[in-house]
Amino acid sequence: MASSNARYRINAVAEATGLSTASLRAWERRYGIPNPTRGDSGYRLYTEADIDQVKRMVELGDQGVAPSEAARIVRAEARQAAAIPVDDAPMLDTDAYKAMVSRLIAAAEALDQETLEAELYTAMGMGSAWTIYERILSPVLVAVGDGWAQGRISVGQEHLASQVLGTALRSIIRLLRRPEAGRVIVLACVAEEQHDLPLYGVAVLAATLGWQPRILGPRTPPDALAVVVEQTRPSLVGLSVTVDLVPDDPAALFRAYAKAAGDVPWVLGGARAAQYQDVAAAAGGQVFGGGPAALRALLEAH
Ligand code: B12
């Protein structure tokens, strides 16, 4: 019996994922992903989630992960995603969050990926998606960064932490996606900026408030942003800068981003946004320097 939102036939899934219909059937047989249902006519019918899972396996495959391992990761992410309450979950007491943050940092310092993932799975049940970001993921990332800056944490430990937490954040965003969601917000890092995880924080709150986040990620040049703005017609563009970038001509850089945004309002945020206040404002952008409450107000104001 086909489930209500299983509506894609195998050819459409092949087109959407870039996999042949033969590979889709082979993966189904070997790895249980995808897992289509059968329509009254006996044809395989796939859901959006099936397509997402196949795309995720392809993405992992492109990173050199073997299909069987990729299937294990996709299933773990689906279990993790299923454990995340969306928004009105009760808050726990502060000590519970602090204890979880310490356990996650300890697992990262021990380079213990299994414990890190298992603790993250537990953390996913500790509040709304935004609460999990604000009270657990963000404090862990800041602590890891400070540990790195003070020489207590190695680049390897920092990379493991940001990779595993990054994967969890991408799962959260995937879970928060609402087909009926309204306006699009395009989120991108400026010029040479590699820190895209802060954008995922913004996207978690935006998605919780009914936005459709489109995350372009690190180092997005103005002309690439222009194409995405043209095609997606967003209601807001969010740019992020976290480290001291030394663009040759910051004024010209932000004029180029302003041109890329066109008539769409754009906001510059991130740990280092304030230093571009004048040039960004002169180019017509708003510079955001507030905390979580201000971020919510900004997203609700647009
Ligand atoms: C993970 C990480 C990396 C990863 C990036 C992983 C990724 N994909 O993002 C890698 C390894 C690539 C990296 C590289 C570097 N990093 Co680094 N990194 C970090 C770390 C540990 C976490 C970053 C993170 O995820 N933050 C998430 C949260 C905590 O960020 P947030 O700023 O609170 O974001 C919120 C707000 O700022 C706001 N916001 C942010 N963007 C926007 C945009 C809009 C539109 C709006 C409205 C709001 C908004 O909302 C967000 C959500 O609440 C930080 C530590 C830290 N304190 O952040 C160091 C840190 C940022 N890195 C640092 C440095 C120095 C570097 C390197 C220069 C190191 C080197 N020598 O190579 C390179 C720079 C590369 C580059 N060109 O960008 C320093 C920066 C110091 C400074 N300010 O200049 C930090 C602070 C570490 C430290 N304590 O010294 N890093």
Side-chain angles (χ1 to χ4, degrees), residues 241-265:
V241 58
T242 295
V243 292
D244 305 330
L245 300 172
V246 277
D248 306 343
D249 182 347
L253 179 69
F254 285 103
R255 280 199 302 274
Y257 280 112
K259 186 159 172 283
D263 59 2
V264 178

Side-chain angles (χ1 to χ4, degrees), residues 25 33 45 86 97 117 181 203 219 243 254 259 273:
R25 292 192 195 91
I33 292 177
L45 289 177
V86 173
Y97 294 110
E117 287 176 349
R219 313 168 78 145
V243 292
F254 285 103
K259 186 159 172 283

Side-chain angles (χ1 to χ4, degrees), residues 130 133 138 141-142 145-146 148-149 158-159 162 192-198 201-202 238-240 242-244 267 269-272 288 295 298:
W130 176 245
Y133 176 80
S138 179
L141 288 163
V142 170
D146 295 345
W148 168 80
E158 177 272 309
H159 278 22
S162 51
E192 296 313 309
E193 178 57 64
Q194 290 180 36
H195 297 86
D196 65 338
L197 291 180
V202 177
L239 300 175
S240 186
T242 295
V243 292
D244 305 330
V267 181
R272 280 289 179 268
F288 175 83
L295 183 58
L298 173 92

Side-chain angles (χ1 to χ4, degrees), residues 100-117 119-120 140-141 143-145 152-165:
M100 174 53 77
V101 168
S102 309
R103 289 204 299 275
L104 289 167
I105 294 169
E109 286 174 341
L111 291 172
D112 181 349
Q113 179 152 355
E114 283 65 34
T115 304
L116 196 53
E117 287 176 349
E119 289 288 3
L120 262 179
V140 169
L141 288 163
V144 165
R152 282 183 293 103
I153 284 188
S154 70
V155 171
Q157 290 164 322
E158 177 272 309
H159 278 22
L160 180 77
S162 51
Q163 285 300 325
V164 175
L165 270 67

